[in-house]
């Protein structure tokens, strides 16, 4: 699947099939994160793949009751292992690095026929406690990963001329 | 180009050819940003494509003297138009939304044979002044865009077992 096609056809998936997730596919998704660019190539990240059924069920509460995630055979928790740095532009470095990595992983998952749903709604303290994430490490993004059991309609996007301008802001 | 291939072969480009950038290619890159997912599909973003040569030259100083960016026929400045919100996980919403959009755009650019270099080093106030960006809007990512005039070696990545763990952090 080419990049543009993947970008155009990916949807957030909130229903997952019971079909098991192949180890090779999980590893390829994780590899997309591993290969992604980071500030100064620091790669200050850890990707936790939760496959244990008990832990997956406990993740529901840590993700503010989003019950659908427990249908998935795996949940990815993408963590910044050095979350202190602010870049000279004023943005938090680990947030950007982990967002690029997670963006790459959700696109690669889609290429492999897998669904994801990027969760910004989770309780950081509870996720950290459940997965034994150290104090100085921050989970930035969480997504279930598995075969989709729905084909949602595309959400509408604004037209290009509303979100693009040339040479200065207008 | 498939997604995995694009992820694996993309490099940051710091030398650009004088070959002009076709409007259609620029628009396709911008469209990749337009189509990207955002929290609650808010699409609170604006992508500024700087093509004016004078402005591109002035961007060098605003980007802390990174002279190579002036070789490129365009510079993209990706802005969050509602930069206040913090998600329940504690992360800034606009940083994540704009990082996903920029990640999609740099991959799509690579698919089209174009180079990019994600800059985290820029002076936010100077970029805002130069491009007349309003007070309540924040540039999150800046990248030159154009045909590469170099083929840099891949930067080494950590092996998968160093960045991945299963079921809990270790």
């Amino acid at each position: 699947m080419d990049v543009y096609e993947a970008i155009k056809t990916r949807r957030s998936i909130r229903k997952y099939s019971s079909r098991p997730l192949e180890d090779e596919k999980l590893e390829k998704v994780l590899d997309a994160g591993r290969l992604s660019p980071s500030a100064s190539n620091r790669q200050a990240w850890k990707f936790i793949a939760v496959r244990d059924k008990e832990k997956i069920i406990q993740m529901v509460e840590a993700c503010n009751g989003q019950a659908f995630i427990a249908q998935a055979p795996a949940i990815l928790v993408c963590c910044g292992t050095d979350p202190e740095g602010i870049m000279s532009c004023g943005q938090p470095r680990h947030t950007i690095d982990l967002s690029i990595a997670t963006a790459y992983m959700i696109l690669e998952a889609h290429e492999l026929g897998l669904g994801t749903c990027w969760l910004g709604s989770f309780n950081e303290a509870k996720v950290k406690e459940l997965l034994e994430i150290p104090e100085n490490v921050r989970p930035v993004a969480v997504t279930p990963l598995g075969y989709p059991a729905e084909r949602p309609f595309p959400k509408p996007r604004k037209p290009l001329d509303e979100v693009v301008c040339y040479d200065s802001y207008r």
Side-chain angles (χ1 to χ4, degrees), chain A:
Chain A
M1 183 183 292
D2 78 25
V3 173
Y4 187 77
E5 184 67 17
I7 288 171
K8 202 170 166 183
T9 59
R10 182 198 165 271
R11 311 274 169 255
S12 295
I13 297 298
R14 293 183 177 81
K15 287 185 185 168
Y16 290 88
S17 119
S18 57
R19 182 175 164 189
L21 172 61
E22 299 88 341
D23 289 349
E24 311 78 62
K25 287 201 172 183
L26 171 58
E27 279 186 17
K28 200 158 184 191
V29 170
L30 294 164
D31 206 42
R34 180 182 78 87
L35 291 168
S36 71
S38 56
S40 309
N41 196 32
R42 297 169 82 255
Q43 309 166 69
W45 46 41
K46 192 79 114 174
F47 309 112
I48 311 175
V50 183
R51 293 184 295 187
D52 178 80
K53 195 66 201 171
E54 262 318 298
K55 282 239 164 94
I56 286 177
I57 289 166
Q58 290 173 296
M59 279 293 285
V60 171
E61 201 221 321
C63 294
N64 302 328
Q66 295 178 86
F68 77 92
I69 67 172
Q71 300 165 7
I75 294 176
L76 304 183
V77 180
C78 307
C79 302
T81 57
D82 180 17
E84 294 306 317
I86 301 290
M87 293 188 296
S88 80
C89 64
Q91 294 287 339
R93 185 176 55 202
H94 81 289
T95 307
I96 292 186
D97 285 350
L98 271 294
S99 296
I100 303 171
T102 309
Y104 277 24
M105 286 193 280
I106 64 174
L107 267 193
E108 177 54 24
H110 179 56
E111 167 160 272
L112 297 171
L114 299 170
T116 53
C117 185
W118 187 312
L119 307 186
S121 173
F122 60 86
N123 183 309
E124 182 176 14
K126 286 184 184 171
V127 168
K128 288 180 73 161
E129 191 189 346
L130 178 64
L131 304 180
E132 298 165 71
I133 297 171
E135 183 58 32
N136 61 337
V137 172
R138 292 193 72 181
V140 172
V142 171
T143 176
L145 178 70
Y147 285 96
E150 63 167 354
R151 298 188 62 173
F153 278 103
K155 284 191 186 164
R157 294 289 194 264
K158 295 176 182 174
L160 201 59
D161 62 5
E162 243 180 69
V163 297
V164 166
C165 53
Y166 290 91
D167 296 324
S168 64
Y169 193 98
R170 55 179 78 92

